[in-house]
Amino acid sequence: GTAEATAQILANAQSITFATAGIAMFERISAMMIHIGLSMLVYTAARNRKQIWHYPVAILLHALVDAPAAMYQYGAITSLAVVEGCSFVIAVICLVLGRIVLYRNNTR
């Protein structure tokens, strides 16, 4: 019942280490970078019909971000560090590309 659920939640909370908290924070930062970058692409596509090709680019980049996590779950990648590293690299690409596209379009 409720007592067992509470005990399980407390046990889970007590098992969190500094490393697992750090990995989770790193993953969330990467996720925010990805979403901000992709939002900039979608915004420019919605704002300017000539930039409509930004929609499929955003979709493809989102799929690319999900690929390492899916490969990890499937067992094709066995290292969580590799998955997080790939996510971070893609996050930087998304953020830089979004910034370039957004500011290039706003200066015209």
Side-chain angles (χ1 to χ4, degrees):
T2 306
E4 292 86 17
T6 302
Q8 184 63 42
I9 290 170
L10 288 174
N12 289 344
Q14 290 172 341
S15 70
I16 295 173
T17 65
F18 184 75
T20 56
I23 290 171
M25 189 167 51
F26 183 75
E27 186 273 333
R28 287 291 86 203
I29 291 169
S30 294
M32 285 188 283
M33 291 168 58
I34 291 163
H35 287 110
I36 291 167
L38 295 180
S39 293
M40 287 188 262
L41 284 171
V42 170
Y43 171 77
T44 58
R47 190 165 179 239
N48 184 351
R49 283 185 126 333
K50 293 178 185 176
Q51 305 297 323
I52 197 77
W53 61 272
H54 292 169
Y55 281 127
V57 170
I59 292 167
L60 290 173
L61 284 170
H62 194 279
L64 185 64
V65 166
D66 291 340
M71 292 170 69
Y72 179 77
Q73 288 181 337
Y74 181 71
I77 297 175
T78 57
S79 170
L80 189 57
V82 170
V83 173
E84 295 305 332
C86 289
S87 293
F88 184 74
V89 168
I90 297 167
V92 170
I93 291 168
C94 288
L95 196 58
V96 169
L97 180 62
R99 190 177 185 322
I100 289 169
V101 166
L102 181 66
Y103 286 105
R104 179 174 26 133
N105 287 326
N106 281 342
T107 59
R108 288 183 183 175

